[in-house]
Amino acid sequence: MLYVQKFGGTSVADVERIRNVARRAIKTKRAGHDVVVVVSAMAGETNRLLKLSKSVTPEPSERESDVLVATGEQVTSALTAMAIQHEGEAAESFLGHQVRIVTDSVFSKARIQSIDCTELTSALKEGKIAVVAGFQGVDAEGNITTLGRGGSDTTAVAIAAAMKADACEIYTDVDGVYTTDPNICPSARKLSRISFEEMLELASLGAKVLQIRSVEFGMKYGVPIHVRTSFNDSEGTWVVEEESEMEQVVVSGVAYNRDEAKITIVGVPDHPGIAAAIFTPLSDASIVVDMIIQNASSDGRTDMTFTVPKGDFKRAVETCRKTMEKLGCNDIRGDENIAKISIVGVGMRSHAGVATKMFGILSKEGVNIQMISTSEIKISCVVDAKYTELAVRALHDGFGLGDVDGVSKS
Ligand code: ADP
Ligand code: ASP
Ligand code: MG
């Protein structure tokens, strides 16, 4: 069997933990399997490096930022390979460009285009444990790129897909995927299985336990993903194809995202082509717009409100200001103190009244809803960021997630 084992920042936070990672990989190898280890940077390191760059210049070049933050994973991949060798097994480390993980050139959120596994395969054939630096790749011009925050998950699942691994194990600081973030909701419950679709929604709505791109790869290539902890041997959560019994659960999880900001363009002339005029420059700037609300117009003018990642907020406002001048809008307003709270569940497809119940729970807690968006299997509300924990806990318990019986029970 071939296992890809990914260890997050807390699992490689210090030398003792790196030794623990080495021992775990060796145990799998000695049980007769091939092992590719993917490591994140030490906990806090990526943030430290980003801060460091900002202390040099407020607007660091995106190319150089990627060169800088990719070093975090370079350090842990080398240390992990050394720790494995120290325990008496052969190991070799690989950076993104050495594997050849080729990405596009969108620095800080590059997408993987291809992976050449030749080098990894020959390392395994030579009896080595291959240790890959997560989060990084190389573009067609040879520039170092990174895959977005949490991108080591995607490195791991993409390698597992490319090498047709039997499983991709994601070792993190919680022992599986929960009904909501266990760090803010004490009654959160560990799931033994979750469907790719639900995991995709949870990840896209802010549950950072898996980066969304990793779930997309897993789903597309059918990679069995096992989210678990590196601190003990207990089973975690399997992310699997949807099973019919899962449909019985209407709401299976609650997610929150505090990494978005809200922009309102006031007094937009209401005529055809206006949305394209506003959003095309944003997408040209690689800014991903999430929720969009256009109000009913009065006097031929309307307000357009939408959310963007906080990291792109300043650029988005500048871009919109230019558009505004062209269009003759009245004003632009921004708010960085928002949170998007979402409920997710495949069972919502066949149940009415879920949204009403969600709004009722939030109103009972006195939480004002600023924006709403729905899809087949999720409902999201934007609220003031200060209500995040309150809203998550109220929704989690209001939908009985702490005590649901059935497939979700671990
Ligand atoms: P790593 O460094 O191992 O990649 P992350 O911090 O990226 O770890 O992801 C793990 C964190 O995800 C947990 O500590 C937890 O706070 C958060 N999280 C959010 N939603 C969930 C959820 N539904 N289940 C489990 N963890 C979640
Ligand atoms: N080190 C990167 C981050 O902190 C990638 C990862 O940990 O997955 O976002
Ligand atoms: Mg992560």
Side-chain angles (χ1 to χ4, degrees), residues 112 147 150-159 211-215 217:
I112 296 177
L147 309 179
S152 301
D153 297 331
T154 301
T155 306
V157 180
I159 286 178
Q211 197 201 33
I212 180 165
R213 290 283 295 143
S214 71
V215 189
F217 267 105

Side-chain angles (χ1 to χ4, degrees), residues 6 40 150 153 172 208-211:
K6 179 259 169 176
S40 288
D153 297 331
T172 182
K208 62 176 182 159
V209 61
L210 283 176
Q211 197 201 33

Side-chain angles (χ1 to χ4, degrees), residues 61 111 122 137 173 179 210 245 251 261 263 266 325 359 363 382:
S61 127
R111 291 171 81 94
S122 41
D173 59 354
T179 44
L210 283 176
E245 40 181 329
V251 174
I263 295 175
V266 184
E325 281 160 17
F359 306 151
S363 96
V382 168

Side-chain angles (χ1 to χ4, degrees), residues 200-207 255-257 340 342-344 378 380:
L200 203 58
E201 287 290 346
L202 284 179
S204 76
L205 296 168
Y256 65 93
N257 184 353
K340 182 173 71 175
S342 311
I343 57 173
V344 171
K378 70 118 205 273
S380 302

Side-chain angles (χ1 to χ4, degrees), residues 181-407:
D181 186 346
N183 288 323
I184 72 159
C185 182
S187 55
R189 193 169 40 85
K190 191 173 99 186
L191 303 166
S192 55
R193 294 193 305 275
I194 184 167
S195 70
F196 277 114
E197 265 184 304
E198 284 171 325
M199 193 60 239
L200 203 58
E201 287 290 346
L202 284 179
S204 76
L205 296 168
K208 62 176 182 159
V209 61
L210 283 176
Q211 197 201 33
I212 180 165
R213 290 283 295 143
S214 71
V215 189
E216 285 170 3
F217 267 105
M219 192 163 160
K220 187 163 170 198
Y221 297 99
V223 182
I225 301 176
H226 187 188
V227 180
R228 53 194 308 197
T229 172
S230 57
F231 303 122
N232 61 51
D233 281 329
S234 63
E235 275 278 302
T237 302
W238 284 92
V239 188
V240 293
E241 302 288 339
E242 191 175 327
E243 296 161 0
S244 55
E245 40 181 329
M246 285 176 171
E247 284 162 27
Q248 291 162 7
V249 186
V250 179
V251 174
S252 54
V254 179
Y256 65 93
N257 184 353
R258 280 188 282 221
D259 295 331
E260 287 185 11
K262 190 174 77 170
I263 295 175
T264 302
I265 306 184
V266 184
V268 181
D270 193 12
H271 57 70
I274 220 71
I278 292 175
F279 295 114
T280 308
L282 290 170
S283 72
D284 288 347
S286 293
I287 296 171
V288 179
V289 174
D290 182 21
M291 290 164 94
I292 302 176
I293 289 183
Q294 183 181 342
N295 286 343
S297 68
S298 60
D299 307 333
R301 284 186 180 266
T302 178
D303 295 346
M304 190 83 89
T305 303
F306 54 92
T307 59
V308 296
K310 256 186 201 162
D312 292 329
F313 178 64
K314 277 201 191 113
R315 272 194 321 129
V317 171
E318 279 160 26
T319 309
C320 289
R321 236 182 248 293
K322 285 185 203 137
T323 316
M324 262 177 67
E325 281 160 17
K326 276 194 216 139
L327 299 178
C329 309
N330 299 346
D331 193 11
I332 184 164
R333 288 181 202 141
D335 184 357
E336 290 188 89
N337 279 321
I338 58 158
K340 182 173 71 175
I341 316 289
S342 311
I343 57 173
V344 171
V346 286
M348 265 185 229
R349 284 193 197 114
S350 48
H351 281 77
V354 185
T356 325
K357 184 166 174 184
M358 179 177 191
F359 306 151
I361 292 169
L362 292 177
S363 96
K364 211 169 132 220
E365 299 294 335
V367 178
N368 187 40
I369 301 171
Q370 304 178 9
M371 297 172 86
I372 299 167
S373 87
T374 64
S375 81
E376 233 191 348
I377 64 166
K378 70 118 205 273
I379 304 167
S380 302
C381 294
V382 168
V383 303
D384 191 315
K386 69 179 179 215
Y387 294 126
T388 310
E389 282 88 353
L390 174 67
V392 167
R393 287 178 198 152
L395 290 168
H396 184 266
D397 296 347
F399 280 99
L401 288 178
D403 47 45
V404 181
D405 237 29
V407 286

